[in-house]
Amino acid sequence: MQLKRVFYILLCSLSLMGLASCLRGNNTDDIIPSTDAQIIAFSLSHDSVAVLATTRFSIDQVENKIYNYDSLPYLCQVRPRVIVNYTSGSGVSTLMTKTGNDTVWVKAGDSLDISNALNNGMLLKVFAPNGSTNKEYTFKINIHQVDPDSMQYEQIGVENFLLQGDNKTVKFKNQYFTYVKDEEISVYQSSDLKNWESAATNLPANTVIEGIEAMENGLCAYTETGELFISSNAISWTEISSQYENWDRYRLISVLGYLPTSATQDEGLAVVAEKNQSRIFAFLPSLFSKNATPYAIVEGDTVSSDFPLSGFSTINKKSLTINQIMLIGGSPSIPLVNVDALPVWITENGYYWVKLSDSPQGSLPSIEGGSAFVYNNELYFMGGTTILGTYNEEIYSSINGLVWNTKASKAQPPKEFTPRKNASIVVDNEGVYFYIVGGQNKSPLADIWKVVMNAQTFKK
């Protein structure tokens, strides 16, 4: 009985073994090695080159190229041998590279000499699991060859009309307009700041030239006697003073800047006006509105003695969804002495202004006739004269307008650039270049400069 039981167990075991053998035989016959030789992921690493860990490599399956779209930092030192990690479409492909007469087979995680990839590029050949299908890639590591933070200055022209008198250049609808004040106002138009055409304009001779302002739908200007003008084409101008309620009770002293339309108010101008022998902040709304007139002037605070009324520069910026005007530099209504720095002022509605800081720490020096503008997602300030009468030769930048820093020497103007005040600075539509037009250094200057930060050209 016992012998019969042992025989039964042995018979079952042999049957199971036979079945397993059959199953294995069938699987072997059905397996077809993959022909996928594509690389679908690629990375490098090295303990001494931390930037490689975050470097993303693009894989162009059409042009058969592997490269880093965002170049490694300027002067980055990449070691010749690094760890290569890759994933193929099949998951088990083998990579081969050839340097000279030497052929090297590489598995994911192996060390590889990438010296050629730092120069002209190196060939990577990937073999699919079937052993015959392969695909070749050119592998290249891009490193910035120029310092991205350096600025390049190029004088692109000298225009004699800039010598005729005080002038202001603005950009409107992809065109540049330069207004020159001599015995009358002249205007010159250009699409590239190299080729200019003159045009006749009806702006009065007593227009405050530095107060000409470009807006969304047109331009505005005001006169020494307080009349306000607007234009939709930068050539023909219309006086709109009468469109404001009780205008005769006010005298326009200065236009501080323009606020675009927002969710809380119409577009309009932030101004300083005189009423009852007192100077107040005010907002003039609806410059190009089709709504019925007259418009109501919105009054604000009394102007403090340290608020500048001339020689300042303004920029428009947006904080979240709120439009703002930032006013930088200039001369206060009552001259101050022993001032190392003037605060930056800011408004969100045009009639209430706030100092960003009273502390000279991190502030701009006291400068009149400087130029502020937005470039490379930063606030920039350059030019002007100090309270000692010397010309400011530095460029300053700030992220928020509260703390300012002097730009490194590689961003400063070259020796052949004449320091100046009252220059016009305009930025092109793409934000790649900015232009410095004219200005004064004892006498008017007629040169035009094109400036670019190297990093901006990488985006083109």
Side-chain angles (χ1 to χ4, degrees):
M1 187 70 180
Q2 185 70 23
L3 181 61
K4 186 184 291 187
R5 182 179 180 184
V6 172
F7 177 76
Y8 177 77
I9 293 174
L10 179 60
L11 182 62
C12 290
S13 299
L14 290 173
S15 300
L16 291 172
M17 290 175 63
L19 177 62
S21 177
C22 291
L23 290 174
R24 284 197 299 269
N26 289 340
N27 280 345
T28 302
D29 292 339
D30 292 339
I31 291 177
I32 300 176
S34 174
T35 59
D36 190 345
Q38 289 192 135
I39 291 180
I40 59 175
F42 189 91
S43 65
L44 302 178
S45 62
H46 193 288
D47 291 342
S48 300
V49 189
V51 69
L52 287 179
T54 57
T55 301
R56 300 183 62 181
F57 287 90
S58 299
I59 303 173
D60 187 335
Q61 305 291 3
V62 177
E63 298 292 334
N64 299 334
K65 295 179 180 180
I66 300 175
Y67 61 96
N68 53 317
Y69 180 81
D70 294 324
S71 298
L72 296 180
Y74 177 62
L75 297 180
C76 177
Q77 297 294 321
V78 178
R79 301 300 179 91
R81 299 197 70 86
V82 298
I83 301 300
V84 176
N85 290 287
Y86 64 91
T87 303
S88 66
S90 65
V92 292
S93 295
T94 303
L95 183 149
M96 181 270 282
T97 181
K98 193 171 184 178
T99 303
N101 295 322
D102 297 329
T103 299
V104 180
W105 293 92
V106 183
K107 302 189 302 295
D110 282 353
S111 173
L112 177 65
D113 186 342
I114 59 168
S115 300
N116 287 343
L118 299 172
N119 300 310
N120 299 321
M122 63 187 296
L123 180 67
L124 301 179
K125 193 169 186 178
V126 188
F127 287 85
N130 67 356
S132 58
T133 305
N134 64 78
K135 185 168 186 176
E136 294 182 350
Y137 294 89
T138 300
F139 171 45
K140 181 77 166 63
I141 297 178
N142 295 315
I143 300 176
H144 284 307
Q145 300 303 303
V146 295
D147 187 345
D149 296 325
S150 291
M151 284 189 175
Q152 308 301 322
Y153 290 75
E154 176 191 2
Q155 184 176 330
I156 62 172
V158 176
E159 300 296 339
N160 289 331
F161 64 78
L162 294 171
L163 302 175
Q164 298 172 8
D166 294 338
N167 53 77
K168 174 75 175 286
T169 300
V170 297
K171 180 166 67 71
F172 178 65
K173 290 185 177 179
N174 300 323
Q175 296 288 308
Y176 301 93
F177 297 89
T178 297
Y179 299 87
V180 182
K181 183 175 183 177
D182 192 7
E183 293 181 357
E184 57 184 21
I185 304 295
S186 303
V187 61
Y188 298 82
Q189 180 178 351
S190 175
S191 60
D192 57 6
L193 291 160
K194 293 181 180 179
N195 302 290
W196 295 85
E197 294 181 359
S198 61
T201 180
N202 62 332
L203 265 180
N206 66 341
T207 297
V208 178
I209 203 74
E210 67 178 16
I212 297 175
E213 185 92 16
M215 304 174 290
E216 283 182 324
N217 301 307
L219 292 87
C220 72
Y222 68 100
T223 66
E224 296 168 356
T225 49
E227 292 85 17
L228 184 64
F229 289 78
I230 62 171
S231 173
S232 59
N233 60 12
I235 304 296
S236 302
W237 295 77
T238 303
E239 184 182 357
I240 61 167
S241 307
S242 60
Q243 296 185 21
Y244 289 94
E245 195 174 67
N246 301 319
W247 180 266
D248 57 345
R249 298 182 184 179
Y250 303 87
R251 184 171 73 89
L252 184 60
I253 302 297
S254 180
V255 172
L256 303 177
Y258 165 74
L259 279 173
T261 303
S262 70
T264 57
Q265 65 181 36
D266 290 336
E267 68 166 355
L269 296 176
V271 305
V272 171
E274 188 173 80
K275 181 183 180 182
N276 300 328
Q277 299 182 335
S278 178
R279 289 179 174 177
I280 60 172
F281 295 115
F283 180 70
L284 309 182
S286 307
L287 297 175
F288 290 91
S289 174
K290 302 298 183 182
N291 297 333
T293 56
Y295 303 121
I297 298 174
V298 183
E299 295 185 9
D301 293 336
T302 300
V303 178
S304 60
S305 61
D306 58 344
F307 189 90
L309 294 179
S310 63
F312 56 80
S313 184
T314 60
I315 55 177
N316 289 93
K317 62 189 297 287
K318 178 172 286 189
S319 177
L320 297 178
T321 59
I322 300 173
N323 295 316
Q324 299 173 327
I325 301 173
M326 185 176 290
L327 186 146
I328 304 170
S331 300
S333 54
I334 298 178
L336 304 176
V337 295
N338 300 324
V339 176
D340 294 327
L342 288 177
V344 173
W345 296 78
I346 195 166
T347 184
E348 294 178 355
N349 55 28
Y351 50 91
Y352 288 121
W353 288 80
V354 178
K355 291 181 186 179
L356 285 187
S357 174
D358 284 318
S359 171
Q361 183 68 33
S363 297
L364 289 166
S366 181
I367 293 176
E368 179 182 359
S371 303
F373 56 103
V374 178
Y375 181 69
N376 191 36
N377 297 319
E378 290 185 285
L379 309 178
Y380 276 70
F381 187 83
M382 67 181 298
T385 55
T386 69
I387 56 176
L388 299 177
T390 59
Y391 286 91
N392 166 44
E393 299 185 26
E394 305 287 349
I395 295 182
Y396 301 88
S397 68
S398 175
I399 298 297
N400 53 17
L402 182 62
V403 178
W404 293 82
N405 296 293
T406 305
K407 299 293 289 184
S409 58
K410 58 189 175 183
Q412 300 295 338
K415 293 181 179 179
E416 56 267 29
F417 179 83
T418 304
R420 63 199 65 198
K421 66 177 181 179
N422 299 332
S424 297
I425 297 184
V426 287
V427 182
D428 69 3
N429 289 333
E430 292 75 29
V432 176
Y433 299 94
F434 68 87
Y435 298 86
I436 306 170
V437 183
Q440 293 182 344
N441 184 308
K442 298 180 181 178
S443 60
L445 300 171
D447 51 349
I448 300 175
W449 291 76
K450 179 180 181 180
V451 189
V452 63
M453 178 179 284
N454 288 333
Q456 293 297 90
T457 64
F458 302 160
K459 302 175 184 179
K460 294 188 68 177

